[in-house]
Amino acid sequence: MADLPPKPIFTRTISFGNLVQIVLIVVGLAGSWAVMKSDISRIDAAAADAKTIRIAIEARVRVLENQAARSDERYTNLLSNIQAIRDAIARLESR
């Protein structure tokens, strides 16, 4: 038969290595918690900045839409004036 590895032996004692592992796990969890909290606060600040930027962009878009509407109205008025001038010229030519 092949040599089998020995079975592990479990004892109910706590060694220095166990204590070091417990301390490292607690320190790791605390460090992870601190990093997560700082990331969340940074993300909240970025979201607030994005909201203010979005509001400013929406205001700019509204202004541009109003300007475009006014330009369309002016263009329509110019076209009607040009048509009136053409009609007047056509009447003068027909006399």
Side-chain angles (χ1 to χ4, degrees), residues 8-76:
I9 300 172
F10 296 102
T11 60
R12 292 181 180 246
T13 60
I14 296 177
S15 67
F16 180 71
N18 297 127
L19 294 175
V20 170
Q21 281 184 327
I22 291 170
V23 168
L24 288 177
I25 288 172
V26 169
V27 168
L29 288 174
S32 298
W33 181 263
V35 168
M36 184 179 66
K37 292 295 271 182
S38 68
D39 286 348
I40 287 173
S41 64
R42 189 171 34 89
I43 289 170
D44 286 342
D49 291 343
K51 184 178 180 180
T52 57
I53 290 170
R54 185 189 55 127
I55 289 170
I57 289 172
E58 286 176 355
R60 291 177 189 167
V61 167
R62 268 190 237 107
V63 167
L64 290 174
E65 287 173 345
N66 289 337
Q67 288 175 350
R70 280 190 233 119
S71 295
D72 288 345
E73 187 177 335
R74 287 183 201 148
Y75 180 70
T76 303

